[in-house]
Amino acid sequence: MRIILLGPPGAGKGTQAKSICNRYSIPHISTGDIFRKNISDNTPLGIEAKKHIDRGHLVPDELTIDIVKDRLFQEDCSNGYLLDGFPRTVKQAEALEEFLISRGENLATALLIKVPTEFIIDRMTGRRVCPACGASYHIKYNPPVNEGKCDVCGSDIIQRKDDTEATVRERLEVYDMQTEPLIDYYGKKDLLSIVEGTRAINEVFESICNILGSDKK
Ligand code: AP5
């Protein structure tokens, strides 16, 4: 099962990705997480990615495509995967398609989590993440049991640097210009599924399972 998750910043892609990957036993490949790990390890990739991410802009296509291809060649991807945050431009989508064709593989679906802009700022500015294990929370909608502490590993949770209101607005503009065209791209290929992302987290997950099928694949 090869799945793409599409949706604006804060749509709930990362939140749903974790549940989907547990449910269907496939690896979760988040380009945002890969970049953040490299930034925290201060690698050359991280240093380059940080320049773009902190401004709310996309990391250049060539760099991103190479990283994703390397990841997809790994053994744990042989029975499927979920791509969260990739592709994000038509160029990335074309590169993925070429890669799949070269391996005789196909996508199950491109799943769009649809959330209008008015919900996004509230979601993003209230998001807190665990820098140690990557768990994600929301101060109102998904708070940790102990305020300020990660439920999974007990570390202090923090706000992502690109979750300030000004950077979120920039990211939304970038999404409209560069990523939204993918809705048409996958729609024309009859691969697009849409879920309403404004409902509660568990209800959104239920709709996703209805689309993907109830049995593990
Ligand atoms: P990335 O980390 O992928 O950021 P994003 O796509 O902007 O998405 P987010 O992680 O911000 O949001 P999400 O949809 O995962 O929402 P979440 O589940 O956390 O990328 C970061 C940056 O890296 C990019 O800006 C870019 O610079 C670079 N990058 C990454 N991929 C790239 C690529 N392919 N090409 C080039 N550059 C790339 O939810 C948000 C909040 O809402 C949470 O607090 C959550 O608890 C809450 N929430 C979730 N669902 C609900 C719900 N149903 N109801 C109420 N609250 C909810």
Side-chain angles (χ1 to χ4, degrees):
M1 188 184 252
R2 294 174 203 85
I3 306 165
I4 290 172
L5 269 191
L6 292 175
K13 300 181 297 297
T15 303
Q16 297 299 332
K18 289 190 176 69
S19 303
I20 296 168
C21 291
N22 268 340
R23 173 79 179 76
Y24 294 95
S25 305
I26 49 176
H28 173 198
I29 300 171
S30 155
T31 37
D33 287 350
I34 294 173
F35 292 137
R36 279 185 290 278
K37 169 86 173 79
N38 277 274
I39 290 171
S40 97
D41 293 347
N42 211 25
T43 66
L45 166 65
I47 292 165
E48 176 61 27
K50 188 173 182 334
K51 290 186 216 156
H52 306 279
I53 293 177
D54 283 355
R55 286 189 292 151
H57 296 167
L58 296 184
V59 177
D61 281 335
E62 292 69 24
L63 199 58
T64 308
I65 290 165
D66 283 350
I67 285 157
V68 172
K69 276 193 193 162
D70 278 355
R71 180 65 187 88
L72 297 185
F73 273 123
Q74 288 174 23
E75 182 57 32
D76 64 334
C77 293
S78 55
N79 288 324
Y81 43 79
L82 180 147
L83 284 168
D84 164 8
F86 182 94
R88 240 175 165 104
T89 62
V90 170
K91 195 166 173 196
Q92 292 180 13
E94 287 168 350
L96 177 64
E97 193 172 343
E98 249 175 57
F99 176 85
L100 289 167
I101 290 171
S102 73
R103 291 164 60 98
E105 296 172 345
N106 50 21
L107 282 180
T109 189
L111 196 62
L112 169 68
I113 306 182
K114 216 172 146 191
V115 176
T117 307
E118 59 265 31
F119 285 75
I120 304 277
I121 303 289
D122 180 40
R123 282 197 187 178
M124 304 296 272
T125 52
R127 173 164 60 185
R128 299 292 180 272
V129 294
C130 175
C133 74
S136 174
Y137 302 91
H138 191 282
I139 50 176
K140 278 190 276 180
Y141 310 123
N142 183 24
V145 177
N146 297 311
E147 199 184 327
K149 298 280 177 198
C150 177
D151 290 348
V152 182
C153 70
S155 302
D156 288 340
I157 56 175
I158 57 162
Q159 184 172 38
R160 256 168 60 174
K161 216 172 164 191
D162 60 346
D163 277 351
T164 58
E165 186 167 339
T167 312
V168 171
R169 290 197 186 280
E170 183 64 30
R171 286 162 66 191
L172 283 168
E173 269 189 40
V174 168
Y175 174 82
D176 286 347
M177 282 185 306
Q178 301 198 53
T179 308
E180 216 174 51
L182 295 182
I183 297 173
D184 232 34
Y185 181 93
Y186 287 111
K188 283 187 181 140
K189 293 181 187 294
D190 215 13
L191 281 171
L192 187 71
S193 318
I194 302 178
V195 284
E196 180 54 59
T198 52
R199 288 166 304 138
I201 292 172
N202 61 329
E203 290 174 31
V204 176
F205 182 55
E206 211 175 295
S207 308
I208 291 175
C209 289
N210 287 338
I211 290 169
L212 297 180
S214 55
D215 296 325
K216 282 188 180 184
K217 299 201 173 159

